[in-house]
Structure formats: structure tokens, C-alpha cells
Amino acid sequence: MKVKTRMKNFIKKPTNKSNLKSPPAGDLGGFTRLKVSESMELMDFLLAKMGGMKRNSIKSLLSHRQILVNDQITTQYNLPLKTGDLVIVSSVRGNTELFHPKVRIIFEDPYLIVIEKQENILTVKTDHGNELTAFSILKKHVQKSAKNNRIYTVHRLDRETSGVLVFAKSQEIQQILQEKWHTDVKKRIYVAVVEGKPPKESDKIVSWLTENEKSLKIHSSSVDNGGQQAVTRYRVIKSNCDYSLLEIELETGRKNQIRVHLQSIGCPIAGDKKYGAKTSPIARVALHARILEFYHPVTKKIVRFETPVPRKFLHLFH
């Protein structure tokens, strides 16, 4: 399967509007917005538009991550621009680049940081201890640029689950995203390696989930027992004698939903002993959050973040 990491914007209007507005045209609030009217490289465009600014000054803005093209930070001076692109010059220095084996930034703008989290690391710390988390890594990272920089958790992935994870840069953005998460998130697609092969090539699983207070394990019921209704769609991508690679789309986002639903059809996720797995071929729970698509809280455009299927998943089918 060939999967490329990318971010796409589609111009759509959400049903609910926020009071928070994108920086207006011209120079206001530390942002200068410039519309591209003809194709050229970024450096040539900024030399022409920035009122006599020298090449070295523009390179300094780029190196300090103060230039955004179509809402995404860039440091590439020769980035090709096309008609209709939006270039934003910020008066505030952006964060330095992050190099960490457990966290990779795949998108950043003045409002959001979107990362790919690796397995075996929590999103945020629990009540016990001060272990390394995705949150602590990002917090330390943004405060290298300015001590008053903050990040805020929007949603979470389990310790063993890798994939796309979103953080906000302000409490206001965090609140907007969390309040509208169930309506403004348009796609949540995962991939998983499961034991065996599902009874159908594709299907929709609907059940009601409840949590055992002592074991903290989620249980699934095919009839309404007062629990939370959960809906999961899946399709088989690859399979062999031992395992199947599934693409999974969530219609609801309940705790451990994918894990318990796949167990309920006799195909627990490989490595997930809590929910019935007997094998662990890649020494982890083989679940990855591959695609997340939602309305941006400020631009109101749909943004899409996509990560590759982990190679260890694919190697099981060679």
C-alpha cells in the first residue's frame, strides 16, 4: 500500500461558526497576509512584496519559522508558489524544528500542532509518576522558542497506539475543538493488524459499550443495555494464514472502541492481550491512527492529515 504523508484543504463551510477569526488582510495583530497573483518562487515573491527587505532578512524570517504558505510554516526559500496561494508573515518567531524519536510534527500553524505519535508513549501523564509523554515533549519543544508558549491537549491516543494526534496552542482553540469534536471531525481512519480473518470482507459493527469499574475493561453488548452506542466500519486490505490488515473508520469515538469491537468478531488486534490477542508479532498493539480530517477552528476549511501505514504492519504480509 502506497501512502503519502500530506495535508489537504477543501473549501467547505461548517454548520457552526466560531467567534474566532483568521488574521485579516494587511498588517494587523502581528500578521501580514499576502495573496499570490502569479506563479513564482517564495523568495522572489517576498522580495517584491516586503517593501525593500533584503534577502538575508527574508532568510532570517524563514529560519525562525515566521513564514506560512497556505497556513503551513515553511523554511524553504525556493518554494514554488501558484496563483491564489496565501503567504503569511508573522512578527512572532515560530518554534524550532523538533527532532525526537517518539514525536514527529506533521503540521503547525499559529493555532495547532499536529504530530505523529509513536507507540509506547502516553499522550499525557496519568496520576502516577512523571514519565515522558507526547505532551511533555511538545511542551518542552515550544518553550525553547519562548518561555510563555503553551500547548493544550485536544484528544488522546492510547499508549500502544501510534498515529495522528492534535494539540492546540491556546485554551480558546482547545475549547472550540473539544466542544465540536463529534460534529467537526469528518474522518477518523485507523489501520490494524488482527489475528485471523474477519467473517466478512467489510462490515459495520454496532454495539453498546460499558466499562467494568474494577478491571477498567470495556465490554460490548449487541443489544442496548444502557451503555454508550459505538459504531465502527472496517474493510480487509490484506490477509494471510495468520493475520489480516484492516482499514477502520470510526463513526463514534468511544474508549477502546476499536479494540473491543474487533475482539467481538473474533479478530483481536495483534499484541492486544487485554482484548484477547494470543500473539504479538511486532511487540506492540498493532493499531495506528492513519487519517484525521476536521474543520480547522479558525480558517473553517477542512484539513486532512495522513500518515503512512507502519512498515512493521506491512512486513507481516510480505
Side-chain angles (χ1 to χ4, degrees), residues 93-104:
R93 290 186 178 186
N95 299 312
T96 58
E97 288 192 69
L98 173 63
F99 299 96
H100 197 284
K102 289 295 184 181
V103 169
R104 179 176 69 88

Side-chain angles (χ1 to χ4, degrees), residues 9 43 57 59 61 80 94 97 113 117 120 134 139 145 161 180 188 278:
N9 286 324
M43 176 61 78
S57 298
K59 285 185 176 180
L61 290 173
E97 288 192 69
I113 297 181
K117 181 185 86 70
N120 296 322
K139 179 181 177 182
S145 301
T161 303
K180 298 181 178 181
R188 285 171 287 180
K278 296 178 180 178

Side-chain angles (χ1 to χ4, degrees), residues 86-278:
L86 176 65
V87 177
I88 296 177
V89 181
S90 172
S91 62
V92 180
R93 290 186 178 186
N95 299 312
T96 58
E97 288 192 69
L98 173 63
F99 299 96
H100 197 284
K102 289 295 184 181
V103 169
R104 179 176 69 88
I105 293 177
I106 56 179
F107 175 80
E108 182 179 359
D109 69 7
Y111 317 102
L112 305 173
I113 297 181
V114 183
I115 68 168
E116 180 180 5
K117 181 185 86 70
Q118 297 302 311
E119 70 279 5
N120 296 322
I121 184 170
L122 289 168
T123 300
V124 294
K125 71 177 182 179
T126 61
D127 294 333
H128 310 291
N130 292 310
E131 66 179 295
L132 191 71
T133 64
F135 178 88
S136 66
I137 292 168
L138 275 184
K139 179 181 177 182
K140 184 177 180 181
H141 165 66
V142 301
Q143 290 183 346
K144 287 179 181 177
S145 301
K147 287 296 183 183
N148 61 342
N149 283 351
R150 298 286 184 271
I151 60 164
Y152 300 85
T153 306
V154 175
H155 64 124
R156 303 183 185 194
L157 294 176
D158 291 340
R159 180 196 296 271
E160 291 290 331
T161 303
S162 56
V164 182
L165 190 58
V166 179
F167 291 86
K169 288 186 174 182
S170 71
Q171 283 186 308
E172 184 177 11
I173 295 294
Q174 178 195 43
Q175 184 177 357
I176 291 168
L177 285 169
Q178 289 183 336
E179 286 179 351
K180 298 181 178 181
W181 191 253
H182 296 296
T183 57
D184 282 6
V185 173
K186 296 306 174 186
K187 281 190 179 180
R188 285 171 287 180
I189 296 177
Y190 290 68
V191 287
V193 176
V194 301
E195 295 180 346
K197 188 172 181 179
K200 298 179 181 179
E201 287 293 313
S202 63
D203 201 7
K204 176 180 178 179
I205 306 169
V206 181
S207 75
W208 284 261
L209 305 184
T210 54
E211 184 174 11
N212 184 292
E213 292 182 1
K214 292 184 179 179
S215 67
L216 301 180
K217 189 174 180 180
I218 307 298
H219 296 274
S220 177
S221 171
S222 59
V223 296
D224 188 349
N225 60 356
Q228 293 183 311
Q229 188 182 51
V231 183
T232 305
R233 296 180 182 273
Y234 76 84
R235 69 181 181 91
V236 178
I237 300 170
K238 295 173 179 284
S239 61
N240 57 29
C241 296
D242 300 310
Y243 301 104
S244 297
L245 179 66
L246 307 186
E247 181 179 85
I248 301 147
E249 183 165 2
L250 295 181
E251 290 190 14
T252 58
R254 311 303 185 193
K255 181 180 178 181
N256 292 172
Q257 174 178 324
I258 295 173
R259 298 164 68 183
V260 70
H261 269 177
L262 294 178
Q263 180 192 36
S264 73
I265 62 170
C267 293
I269 299 172
D272 191 4
K273 292 182 180 180
K274 183 176 181 179
Y275 290 99
K278 296 178 180 178

Side-chain angles (χ1 to χ4, degrees), residues 22-40:
S22 188
D27 187 4
L28 185 63
F31 294 92
T32 300
R33 292 161 58 87
L34 305 166
K35 204 75 171 176
V36 178
S37 59
E38 59 180 305
S39 298
M40 65 178 69

Side-chain angles (χ1 to χ4, degrees), residues 286-299:
L287 181 62
H288 178 79
R290 193 172 78 82
I291 297 173
L292 183 63
E293 186 176 290
F294 60 93
Y295 283 111
H296 190 288
V298 177
T299 68

